[in-house]
Amino acid sequence: MRFAKRMDCFGEGIFSKLAVIKKEKMAKGEEIIDLSIGAPNIPPAPHIREALCKGAADPSNYVYAISDRNELLDAIAGWYKSRYGVELDPQREICSLLGSQEGLAHIALTMVDEGDMVLVPDPCYPVFGDGPKIAGADLYYMPQKKENGYIIQLDEIPEDVAQKAKLMVVSYPNNPTTAMAPDSFYQELIAFARKYDIIVLHDNAYSDLVFDNRTCGSFLRFPGAKEVGIEFNSLSKTYGLAGARIGFCLGNENVVSRLKLLKSNMDYGMFLPIQEAAIAAVTGDQGCVKTTMKAYETRRNIMCDGFTRIGWKMERPVATMFVWAAIPKHYKTSEEFVMDMVEKAGVMVTPGSAFGPSGEGYVRLALVQDEEALNRAIEAVDRSGILKEQE
């Protein structure tokens, strides 16, 4: 059998190793506290679940959706108006996604040809680069450095690279670094994209998971944003609908129309009961959003303060459902530290190297366990002794 060369880009690596270790330890009855994957464990509010159940009980909802219902598009347009102050044409500037991951994996197919240049952050959520790779693109990694607050320095992108680029992917609040960008960055981003004729894709999955009374808006609220790009948003984290796979592409109508055309040849749309759950989420009582944010904020405080107390200093992130932490100085690589964490403490985290070259030396911890489990994880790491340099 002969397979596509593009698959050579996708190795199993550390994740397969961790999965094997987790399975073996659990088979022995050992506890594994998994902080590696950002899989939310906070369920949707009752009114959202009720809408989903009611829709699933309707026999007429088991046909192909084919396209987004007008009710869904109108609801999302209303959500963007009330939540972000952004006006959107429901028919021309909104397209549903079967989760943001699906959209990120496929949208480059509508924009780039083999050998075209795509700009992606470093470190970054892996599919930011994997999607363009599937389309055959060449990647240029835009460093997100700690000394710059993890904000991309657009003026450091080489002129020849900017001239060749067709697409750039940006995301703040950022996964994995947890950084938020100032308004000035978005203004510079729009000017940069206009100057070099680059399409901007801004992923905005964490705009409602911001802490300490901060607020976060939309890329599309800035003048000129819709002329140069689009935004992806998701109901996975904000409304606890991760498994339902609900995301949206919003903004530039030319980009949206090309994605709709591609999707019309790839899938049959979002399951109708899930569309009803999405409508209930964005039009219903928004108190659940604040409740979810507060839960993550509390978990953040417990994790960061607890690990700092036992000798692993962690700064409290300003946003997202993650913590980005430097590994102890006596470890050479993030993978080495991660393997010791799971083998000796029974705690799984993700090595920073999985997010790109600049991620080395860090790990990402997901706030996906309840308070009791987080305290057990802190105690287990403390008992293991891995934070202390071995003599």
Side-chain angles (χ1 to χ4, degrees):
M1 294 182 182
R2 292 176 292 173
F3 298 96
K5 292 179 181 179
R6 69 175 62 90
M7 292 306 297
D8 295 341
C9 299
F10 307 106
E12 294 179 326
I14 183 64
F15 294 104
S16 60
K17 295 178 187 177
L18 290 171
V20 170
I21 294 171
K22 179 178 180 179
K23 186 176 180 180
E24 290 175 348
K25 284 185 169 289
M26 292 181 69
K28 295 176 184 177
E30 299 179 30
E31 182 183 29
I32 293 291
I33 301 174
D34 193 345
L35 306 175
S36 65
I37 300 175
N41 68 338
I42 300 173
H47 69 277
I48 302 173
R49 300 199 305 269
E50 289 169 8
L52 178 61
C53 291
K54 182 178 178 181
D58 184 347
S60 68
N61 276 342
Y62 287 82
V63 297
Y64 290 129
I66 303 298
S67 60
D68 300 323
R69 282 184 168 172
N70 289 336
E71 294 87 347
L72 175 66
L73 297 174
D74 290 341
I76 297 303
W79 175 50
Y80 251 68
K81 174 62 176 176
S82 61
R83 169 61 183 86
Y84 300 106
V86 173
E87 295 273 4
L88 292 167
D89 183 318
Q91 298 298 323
R92 295 175 178 269
E93 296 179 333
I94 303 174
C95 173
S96 73
L97 308 169
L98 303 181
S100 291
Q101 181 98 354
E102 176 266 317
L104 289 163
H106 292 141
I107 193 166
L109 294 170
T110 73
M111 301 183 192
V112 301
D113 295 307
E114 189 167 343
D116 284 341
M117 179 73 70
V118 175
L119 313 181
V120 298
D122 176 30
C124 75
Y125 186 51
V127 77
F128 287 178
D130 291 345
K133 283 181 185 177
I134 292 171
D138 294 330
L139 303 184
Y140 175 83
Y141 289 97
M142 302 178 290
Q144 298 186 121
K145 300 177 182 178
K146 184 176 182 180
E147 57 264 34
N148 297 322
Y150 297 110
I151 304 302
I152 296 166
Q153 303 300 293
L154 297 171
D155 59 356
E156 294 181 3
I157 298 172
E159 178 74 18
D160 62 324
V161 171
Q163 291 284 0
K164 292 195 311 186
K166 292 181 71 175
L167 168 67
M168 66 187 302
V169 184
V170 177
S171 179
Y172 295 104
N174 185 256
N175 175 12
T177 69
T178 76
M180 293 176 65
D183 287 359
S184 59
F185 170 77
Y186 293 105
Q187 294 160 355
E188 293 169 9
L189 175 65
I190 292 166
F192 180 86
R194 183 179 289 116
K195 178 180 178 179
Y196 293 105
D197 192 22
I198 300 172
I199 299 171
V200 174
L201 191 169
H202 180 259
D203 185 49
N204 200 25
Y206 301 100
S207 57
D208 279 310
L209 296 185
V210 295
F211 310 128
D212 306 317
N213 298 315
R214 293 178 176 86
T215 58
C216 183
S218 164
F219 160 66
L220 299 178
R221 70 188 170 91
F222 293 93
K226 282 201 287 186
E227 282 68 48
V228 299
I230 54 168
E231 180 161 272
F232 277 15
N233 212 323
S234 167
L235 306 192
S236 293
K237 283 77 178 180
T238 305
Y239 296 98
L241 284 160
R245 313 309 303 132
I246 307 173
F248 298 94
C249 171
L250 317 103
N252 184 278
E253 65 176 279
N254 294 320
V255 177
V256 170
S257 68
R258 300 303 287 179
L259 182 57
K260 284 183 177 181
L261 177 61
L262 177 68
K263 286 176 63 64
S264 71
N265 287 277
M266 293 182 67
D267 64 59
Y268 286 101
M270 186 185 294
F271 186 38
L272 293 176
I274 292 178
Q275 291 195 38
E276 294 182 13
I279 294 168
V282 300
T283 62
D285 182 1
Q286 299 299 293
C288 60
V289 176
K290 185 175 182 180
T291 299
T292 296
M293 179 275 291
K294 285 295 184 183
Y296 282 116
E297 186 175 63
T298 298
R299 294 177 182 187
R300 175 204 65 168
N301 296 345
I302 289 172
M303 177 183 285
C304 294
D305 296 355
F307 277 121
T308 297
R309 185 179 65 252
I310 66 172
W312 184 11
K313 186 177 179 181
M314 289 185 185
E315 296 179 6
R316 289 182 174 185
V318 297
T320 78
M321 57 187 294
F322 304 107
V323 174
W324 186 241
I327 63 176
K329 293 182 179 179
H330 54 281
Y331 281 92
K332 294 181 179 179
T333 68
S334 56
E335 185 170 333
E336 177 190 2
F337 177 60
V338 165
M339 296 304 288
D340 264 7
M341 282 274 283
V342 69
E343 289 279 13
K344 298 179 180 180
V347 177
M348 287 178 60
V349 299
T350 303
S353 55
F355 299 99
S358 295
E360 184 53 81
Y362 293 84
V363 292
R364 191 195 72 177
L365 304 91
L367 303 171
V368 293
Q369 301 289 346
D370 60 27
E371 298 170 27
E372 184 179 344
L374 291 177
N375 282 316
R376 291 202 307 275
I378 293 163
E379 292 170 6
V381 172
D382 193 23
R383 287 195 307 270
S384 73
I386 63 174
L387 299 182
K388 300 174 182 178
E389 187 170 2
Q390 303 298 313
E391 298 181 2

